[in-house]
Amino acid sequence: AQSVTQPDIHITVSEGASLELRCNYSYGATPYLFWYVQSPGQGLQLLLKYFSGDTLVQGIKGFEAEFKRSQSSFNLRKPSVHWSDAAEYFCAVGADSDSWGKLQFGAGTQVVVTP
Amino acid sequence: EAQVTQNPRYLITVTGKKLTVTCSQNMNHEYMSWYRQDPGLGLRQIYYSMNVEVTDKGDVPEGYKVSRKEKRNFPLILESPSPNQTSLYFCASTLHLLAGGPSEQFFGPGTRLTVL
């Protein structure tokens, strides 16, 4: 069964600084990887996804993520954060199998942006 | 507009009083599921459905029921709610790509349930 680890529960970053959120997954085959963002009181919005091909994936809101098979990682980055990026971020992995529709989520990383 | 809708958005109830949270999608997706979100635990799948009349348990199914009589609807039923079911619930749907694997998963806005 697949699993996802987000090692950082909470990250504080200054506005304008760079941000990197870590995500490690465990899955035997090629994973389908996603990053979602949840703003306070809101639902989940898809930032980006990786299915195959180029391992550097561009998403919305200036985010990108890099798939590294050798490290079983799919870290999310943004070069310069804005105050509106304060939110909770979830990494998720899906499977290409009988359970193809299921997403396994990490516990989330709460991002606080300071002035 | 493609969307997943849930109702109600907020609900406060008492222990043992049966309730239903509705979920509907207008994208003709085959796969629908329910998740609950709890602090520090992320989202955990409760039940899922791969198509009409096909449902199965997710990771945390105890205390919940579902049905899938129509493709667009996937209600979550709590026959006898208990305080440990106080949580934020999300319905989601996705389409199986012809090339294999899922497309992105679309989430509803969430239902915040409090069981007293």
Side-chain angles (χ1 to χ4, degrees), chain B:
Chain B
E1 179 189 357
Q3 60 182 346
V4 178
T5 57
Q6 295 178 228
N7 282 292
R9 295 288 313 278
Y10 302 90
L11 180 60
I12 300 174
T13 189
V14 296
T15 299
K17 186 177 181 181
K18 181 179 179 179
L19 66 92
T20 299
V21 183
T22 65
C23 172
S24 182
Q25 50 94 4
N26 62 0
M27 296 167 280
N28 201 36
H29 285 172
E30 303 136 322
Y31 190 102
M32 297 185 73
S33 63
W34 278 101
Y35 294 87
R36 61 177 288 173
Q37 182 183 10
D38 301 290
L41 297 176
L43 280 79
R44 295 176 293 167
Q45 191 182 53
I46 302 170
Y47 266 95
Y48 66 94
S49 169
M50 287 197 166
N51 218 320
V52 176
E53 303 291 0
V54 181
T55 64
D56 208 346
K57 297 177 181 179
D59 296 322
V60 288
E62 294 77 20
Y64 304 94
K65 286 175 59 177
V66 293
S67 69
R68 188 93 179 271
K69 293 182 170 53
E70 306 165 281
K71 198 170 187 178
R72 64 182 292 128
N73 297 323
F74 190 46
L76 179 70
I77 303 155
L78 284 73
E79 294 269 4
S80 182
S82 61
N84 65 12
Q85 293 178 298
T86 293
S87 187
L88 180 59
Y89 292 86
F90 288 100
C91 180
S93 72
T94 188
L95 182 69
H96 195 284
L97 297 174
L98 292 176
S103 67
E104 72 172 90
Q105 198 140 138
F106 291 81
F107 284 84
T111 295
R112 185 164 293 281
L113 172 65
T114 301
V115 183
L116 302 175

Side-chain angles (χ1 to χ4, degrees), chain A residues 1-3 25-32 67 69 72 93-97:
Chain A
Q2 62 264 39
S3 66
Y25 68 90
S26 172
Y27 184 60
T30 301
Y32 296 86
F67 170 62
R69 185 186 298 275
S72 297
V93 60
D96 182 15
S97 67

